[in-house]
Amino acid sequence: MDNMAVSLTLEDLKKYSGMAADAFMDDPLYKCAVKNEKKRREVIYHRTLSRLNVSKKTDMFYFDEEDRGLLILRDVNIPYKAEYFKDTPNILNLLLLLPYVTKVSTISGRFDNKKFMDDKTYIVSPIFVAKEHQKKGVGMKLLKKAKAN
C-alpha cells in the first residue's frame, strides 16, 4: 500500500478525477447511463472525486511511479455509508448530478455478488490509467504491485 493516500490534497484528488474522467469516457457502463458526453465526463469526474476523498481514509491506494495511473483496493466487508460522503468537497455538484449518479450506481450495483466474497475479499475499485498511457502495461503493473502486497 502506498501511504501517501492519506496525504492527498484536493488538487491531487482533482488531478486523478480528471484522469479517471478521461479514462472512463468510453466505458460501456457510463455510456449506457449517461448519453450526453459533457454530462458523462462531469458525472465520472465528480463521482470519482467524492469516491477518492472517502477512499483515501479507508482503502489501499497503489500509484504508478510515473503518475500515469491509480489502483484502489477496497475491503468488501467495509461498506460505504452515507455519512462518509458528508465531507466531500463537491457535494453540491453530486446533488446536481444525482439522477445520473444514481443511474450509474444502480447499474454497477448489479455486478456485485456477495456469494463469491469472504472475509478476505478485496475488490479493485477503481483502476484507471491516463488515456495517453493506456495499452502500455501500466494497469497490469498496478495490479501486480497490489498483488505483491
Side-chain angles (χ1 to χ4, degrees), residues 8-10 13-14 46 48-58 81-95:
L8 287 172
T9 66
L10 180 57
L13 297 178
K14 288 179 177 180
H46 288 292
T48 303
L49 181 59
S50 67
R51 171 64 202 291
L52 294 178
N53 188 60
V54 171
S55 291
K56 74 178 190 173
K57 300 168 192 156
T58 60
K81 298 178 182 173
E83 67 256 22
Y84 293 175
F85 293 89
K86 71 179 181 338
D87 296 329
T88 298
N90 60 329
I91 193 70
L92 292 177
N93 300 88
L94 282 174
L95 292 173

Side-chain angles (χ1 to χ4, degrees), residues 25 34-43:
M25 277 299 291
V34 187
K35 305 291 186 208
N36 179 287
E37 287 188 16
K38 184 178 178 200
K39 281 286 182 211
R40 186 182 321 136
R41 190 174 195 297
E42 281 184 75
V43 168

Side-chain angles (χ1 to χ4, degrees), residues 13-27 30 37-49 52 126-131 134:
L13 297 178
K14 288 179 177 180
K15 175 184 73 176
Y16 285 112
S17 297
M19 188 185 295
D22 292 339
F24 285 116
M25 277 299 291
D26 294 325
D27 181 276
Y30 283 105
E37 287 188 16
K38 184 178 178 200
K39 281 286 182 211
R40 186 182 321 136
R41 190 174 195 297
E42 281 184 75
V43 168
I44 298 168
Y45 176 86
H46 288 292
R47 190 170 187 252
T48 303
L49 181 59
L52 294 178
I127 179 173
F128 52 85
V129 175
K131 194 111 174 144
Q134 291 179 359

Side-chain angles (χ1 to χ4, degrees), residues 117-132:
M117 302 176 190
D118 61 24
D119 62 342
K120 296 177 187 126
T121 302
Y122 287 81
I123 58 172
V124 174
S125 178
I127 179 173
F128 52 85
V129 175
K131 194 111 174 144
E132 64 273 14

